[in-house]
Amino acid sequence: MNYDAIIIGAGPAGLLAATKIAKAGHNVMVLEEHEKVGEPDHCAGLLSSSGLRSLNIKPIADVVQNTVSGARIYAPSGHSIFIERGQREAFVVDRRRFDSWLARNAVDRGAKIATSSKVMHITDSKTGTRTVKTSNQNYDTKTVVIAEGIRSVLSKSVGFSVVSKSNKLPAYQYEVKGVDIEEDLVEMFYGRQLAPGFFAWIIPLGEGRARVGLAAKNKSKIRLDSALHQHPIISKKLKKAKILRGMGGTVLVCQPLSRVSIDGIVIVGDTAGMVKATTGGGVIIGGLTAQIGGDVINSALHEDDYSGKKLSRYDRQCKSLYFRELQTMYMTQKALTSLTDKGLDSIVRDAQELGLLDVVRREGDMDLQGKVIRKLVSDPRTFLLSLRAMRYINPFL
Ligand SMILES: Cc1cc2nc3c(=O)[nH]c(=O)nc-3n(C[C@H](O)[C@H](O)[C@H](O)COP(=O)(O)OP(=O)(O)OC[C@H]3O[C@@H](n4cnc5c(N)ncnc54)[C@H](O)[C@@H]3O)c2cc1C
């Protein structure tokens, strides 16, 4: 079978790239290893409304579980800051339904999707194009989009570098009912004892339900279980909670890979390290860059030139639009995780006392946080805050 583009992986990045390419009239096949698109899921499902608008998608009611208007961020001491940015700052979606809905959109635009189709190899074919092989089928194609998520087995096999192990954090999450929380606020809990390298979260789903999760350098499930019973704030909010289901996953805290295209192939989404390191969120930024990948493939197909040189426009566009933002978020996350609990307490307290939260409220963007971070860094009050926090850099890191 001959295709213009084979997309490997029916996550959001693969499906958004597929939609772009199919919409331009090209012959597209998406290959997904699982039986059902969107399953098994592992995501907290928090997506900014502005990000969804940039992606030019408006989730249908069936996909949306809740909307949130802001976040409460807890320091290890329990002291918290509240960042509210207006109604409907973000949607909480059910990723199983969200991904299936994206798949339906891709099919409506003309893409084909084959589930239970695990890609084993990508090889060069005799005609100078590529052959994508599943266990029972070969697909000849002019171009390939690798959207295999965090695993990066295929991208590595064709020569791309991969996100390093140290940038992958184990995560665990429960869906619970009977929680005592504010239904329109996301809550984030920081602390080296609680979640070294990341944080714990409570995301409200409405009607007393929530996703409660934690990612950390190690032992994420053990740490989460212990927080449910022992953390002074989390345990109180979940005192009467009943666990409905649990799910594990891997959160990426990384910068984008420096090369994301070669002859005939682009890598997108988590595979390319397109995530916000401050939160591990990758649906919006992975989707935006996957759409760029789709556009670049469209023009390559149009000109019948799938060379690395032609496809490198994808690298250049991602770099000029997003890399600075993503690198700034990565450096910020690294700086935060280098602090002891006292340092984190000091930052949260000082940010409030010095009036820096107004800058965040005014300038903050849930997805592209680089701008507000740079604004904060250039503020003399942040210099004072950093000087105070520097006393608490962990010397053992
Ligand atoms: C606990 C947790 C919470 C998160 N919360 C959020 C959040 O609130 N907001 C947010 O934006 N992001 C969140 N993320 C991150 C988000 O889930 C990812 O960034 C996003 O799913 C990446 O999309 P993707 O399409 O690149 O990869 P994926 O969604 O992982 O999709 C990859 C697809 O490729 C398929 N595949 C892999 N290998 C093959 C193969 N060989 N052949 C065929 N198919 C294959 C997989 O089955 C999968 O369906 C969270 C992640 C975790 C772990």
Side-chain angles (χ1 to χ4, degrees):
M1 279 183 279
N2 286 300
Y3 285 91
D4 292 322
I6 292 285
I7 318 292
I8 304 170
L15 291 167
L16 287 163
T19 306
K20 268 271 165 190
I21 304 168
K23 203 171 155 187
H26 296 119
N27 193 6
V28 179
M29 169 64 88
V30 182
L31 300 172
E32 166 56 46
E33 67 174 329
H34 289 106
E35 223 175 292
K36 256 182 135 179
V37 170
E39 294 187 26
D41 62 329
H42 52 246
C43 178
L46 186 68
L47 308 178
S48 71
S49 4
S50 59
L52 289 166
R53 271 198 305 278
S54 307
L55 285 170
N56 212 5
I57 56 177
K58 192 164 185 266
I60 51 169
D62 188 39
V63 163
V64 177
Q65 296 176 295
N66 196 11
T67 53
V68 293
S69 60
R72 186 172 291 284
I73 299 173
Y74 291 89
S77 65
H79 189 83
S80 71
I81 50 177
F82 174 46
I83 299 173
E84 191 177 25
R85 302 220 337 111
Q87 285 178 345
R88 287 194 163 210
E89 168 74 354
F91 290 95
V92 185
V93 301
D94 179 328
R95 271 292 301 275
R96 293 166 294 186
R97 292 183 184 182
F98 180 75
D99 288 17
S100 322
W101 172 70
L102 290 180
R104 287 200 297 279
N105 289 348
V107 170
D108 287 348
R109 299 296 181 181
K112 297 186 191 76
I113 299 180
T115 51
S116 303
S117 299
K118 179 171 179 158
V119 175
M120 316 299 275
H121 301 288
I122 305 169
T123 56
D124 293 337
S125 68
K126 285 181 195 131
T127 55
T129 54
R130 303 271 181 172
T131 303
V132 172
K133 299 183 177 184
T134 64
S135 54
N136 56 6
Q137 194 101 42
N138 287 355
Y139 300 85
D140 286 334
T141 179
K142 293 171 183 164
T143 60
V144 180
V145 176
I146 304 181
E148 62 182 325
I150 48 146
R151 239 181 300 155
S152 310
V153 175
L154 296 165
S155 61
K156 191 174 178 188
S157 76
V158 294
F160 287 102
S161 56
V162 298
V163 173
S164 82
K165 249 187 172 172
S166 61
N167 293 114
K168 295 179 176 178
L169 304 184
Y172 204 82
Q173 188 171 233
Y174 290 115
E175 269 184 24
V176 294
K177 67 175 185 181
V179 288
D180 181 16
I181 52 170
E182 289 176 80
E183 300 256 301
D184 66 340
L185 279 191
V186 170
E187 297 182 89
M188 298 156 84
F189 301 84
Y190 285 84
R192 287 188 70 80
Q193 300 302 320
L194 173 71
F198 209 66
F199 56 85
W201 61 87
I202 301 180
I203 296 185
L205 300 176
E207 298 174 351
R209 292 176 177 237
R211 278 190 199 109
V212 185
L214 182 150
K217 276 184 185 161
N218 53 27
K219 301 181 196 158
S220 55
K221 183 172 184 302
I222 296 172
R223 290 176 189 281
L224 177 61
D225 287 341
S226 135
L228 297 190
H229 297 108
Q230 286 164 18
H231 187 276
I233 301 165
I234 299 175
S235 65
K236 213 166 148 198
K237 288 174 184 282
L238 272 81
K239 208 162 129 194
K240 295 187 182 148
K242 189 166 180 293
I243 291 175
L244 301 171
R245 65 183 185 119
M247 48 197 155
T250 303
V251 164
L252 295 186
V253 176
C254 64
Q255 314 189 62
L257 298 178
S258 56
R259 184 141 190 228
V260 288
S261 69
I262 55 173
D263 273 346
I265 304 182
V266 302
I267 55 173
V268 298
D270 276 8
T271 310
M274 300 291 183
V275 295
K276 299 182 285 181
T278 44
T279 64
V283 173
I284 301 291
I285 197 72
L288 288 168
T289 46
Q291 287 182 335
I292 296 176
D295 276 337
V296 169
I297 285 189
N298 282 339
S299 77
L301 289 168
H302 185 69
E303 291 168 31
D304 206 22
D305 174 3
Y306 331 109
S307 62
K309 192 171 169 214
K310 180 80 192 165
L311 295 183
S312 66
R313 187 157 68 82
Y314 169 51
D315 296 62
R316 288 195 300 280
Q317 286 199 8
C318 289
K319 275 187 183 134
S320 72
L321 288 171
Y322 299 116
F323 276 29
R324 191 164 170 231
E325 292 289 323
L326 298 179
Q327 278 164 346
T328 307
M329 289 187 236
Y330 178 71
M331 301 309 286
T332 306
Q333 178 65 10
K334 282 278 152 206
L336 284 177
T337 52
S338 70
L339 292 172
T340 61
D341 279 357
K342 278 190 173 168
L344 289 166
D345 285 337
S346 147
I347 284 202
V348 167
R349 196 185 47 239
D350 286 351
Q352 194 162 40
E353 278 174 12
L354 298 170
L356 287 166
L357 295 182
D358 289 341
V359 181
V360 179
R361 285 190 192 106
R362 220 175 34 242
E363 310 275 345
D365 179 318
M366 234 182 99
D367 297 306
L368 302 177
Q369 299 159 348
K371 188 175 155 216
V372 70
I373 293 169
R374 285 192 295 277
K375 191 110 190 167
L376 286 170
V377 168
S378 64
D379 190 309
R381 290 171 295 179
T382 307
F383 183 64
L384 182 61
L385 172 147
S386 311
L387 272 184
R388 288 183 189 165
M390 261 157 52
R391 289 174 295 166
Y392 302 112
I393 287 177
N394 187 336
F396 301 108
L397 282 173

